Amino acid sequence: SSGINAEYGDPLDWSLNCATLSQYYVTMNNYVSARHTLACASSVLSNVQESSENSQYSDESYDNEKILKTRADIERCWIKFCVNLLKDSVADLEASDLSDKVSKITEMKNTFEDEEDKEEEMKKAVEEAA
């Protein structure tokens, strides 16, 4: 455990920083990277929690209260991720529906214009024949 701390710093801080980074990815609509960083944060936190329960970390910086606070912060980031993903999904669906509706209206308009053109051609043909 001291090797991990020496190389990467405090795992609780690292996991919280990783979850915070996910929020940047959410603002950029990069949900794949946001999910990945949140999954990493959750995984590291789970490892710390399991190790703490097994008394591997005897350092008081890994007390239960700090672990629970970090878990709450990471779960809050997960909630923000899910809410934003749902909002963007709804917006994409609405835009897609609107685009489909515009396409159908344009198609109908073109069909009516084609029919009007055919009617005009028929009128001209009838007038020329008479």
Side-chain angles (χ1 to χ4, degrees), residues 28-47:
M28 302 305 290
N29 295 328
N30 186 345
Y31 291 102
V32 172
S33 295
R35 184 192 168 284
H36 180 76
T37 53
L38 280 169
C40 290
S42 295
S43 176
V44 168
L45 180 62
S46 291
N47 288 341

Side-chain angles (χ1 to χ4, degrees), residues 54-96:
N54 294 333
S55 300
Q56 184 175 349
Y57 292 119
S58 59
D59 187 346
E60 67 183 58
S61 66
Y62 298 110
D63 65 9
N64 195 40
E65 184 178 330
K66 185 172 181 180
I67 291 172
L68 291 176
K69 182 187 179 316
T70 303
R71 178 165 298 288
D73 291 338
I74 292 171
E75 288 176 359
R76 205 172 0 266
C77 290
W78 272 111
I79 291 168
K80 289 178 184 178
F81 168 83
C82 291
V83 167
N84 281 292
L85 180 61
L86 288 172
K87 283 182 181 177
D88 285 351
S89 295
V90 167
D92 287 347
L93 285 174
E94 288 173 348
S96 175

